[in-house]
Amino acid sequence: MATILVIEDEPALQKVLDYNFKQAGHEVLVTPRGAEGVSLARERHPDIVLLDQMLPDVKGTEVCRALQLHPETRDLPIVFVTARGDEVDRIVAFELSAVDYVVKPFSVRELVLRVQAI
C-alpha cells in the first residue's frame, strides 16, 4: 500500500482519484492548493504525488520546484496530471524531474497502473 498525495483543484476529479486509488488499496491525501500540498508532503511523507499544473494559488511547476528543494521531499516521485498537453509543458515537467506526465482526459485505470509501476 502506498500513500498518494493528490494536488488537484477539480472536485469531481479529486473524488474519482480518491475512490479509485482507495479501491486499489492505497491511502489518499487530497488538497486543491499547491501550498497546502507542499506542507502535506513535508508532514505526511507520501510515496508519490499526483500534481495538477494549473492550481488556484500557485503553478504546479512551482510546487514541483518547492518539493525538489526540500531535503525531505527531494526524492519524492511526481506525476503531473494536467490538461496542458503541449510539448513544452511536458519537457519542463521532465526537466523538473517529474517521473511521468499524464494529459487530461485520461484513463483512471491506466493512471492507477502507472502509479503502481512507479
Side-chain angles (χ1 to χ4, degrees), residues 67-104:
L67 293 172
Q68 295 288 322
L69 291 173
H70 198 277
E72 292 180 7
T73 55
R74 178 176 295 135
D75 298 321
L76 187 57
I78 298 170
V79 176
F80 277 88
V81 181
T82 180
R84 297 185 67 159
D86 292 339
E87 179 183 15
V88 68
D89 296 315
R90 294 189 312 268
I91 288 170
V92 167
F94 287 121
E95 286 177 342
L96 290 171
S97 300
V99 297
D100 204 352
Y101 195 97
V102 178
V103 179
K104 298 174 186 175

Side-chain angles (χ1 to χ4, degrees), residues 22 30 40 49 51 99 109:
K22 283 181 178 173
V30 179
L40 271 172
V49 174
L51 177 60
V99 297
R109 180 72 180 133

Side-chain angles (χ1 to χ4, degrees), residues 4-98:
I4 300 166
L5 172 57
V6 177
I7 306 174
E8 168 62 57
D9 64 329
E10 189 178 320
L13 186 53
Q14 288 175 347
K15 289 178 184 178
V16 167
L17 294 175
D18 182 63
Y19 174 81
N20 281 277
F21 279 106
K22 283 181 178 173
Q23 286 296 104
H26 303 291
E27 179 183 4
V28 183
L29 310 170
V30 179
T31 180
R33 300 187 123 17
E36 185 179 349
V38 172
S39 295
L40 271 172
R42 291 178 183 166
E43 293 169 13
R44 299 290 303 272
H45 308 286
D47 297 299
I48 192 165
V49 174
L50 301 182
L51 177 60
D52 189 7
Q53 179 70 287
M54 298 175 290
L55 297 165
D57 60 337
V58 62
K59 290 181 181 179
T61 52
E62 294 304 315
V63 172
C64 188
R65 281 188 186 101
L67 293 172
Q68 295 288 322
L69 291 173
H70 198 277
E72 292 180 7
T73 55
R74 178 176 295 135
D75 298 321
L76 187 57
I78 298 170
V79 176
F80 277 88
V81 181
T82 180
R84 297 185 67 159
D86 292 339
E87 179 183 15
V88 68
D89 296 315
R90 294 189 312 268
I91 288 170
V92 167
F94 287 121
E95 286 177 342
L96 290 171
S97 300

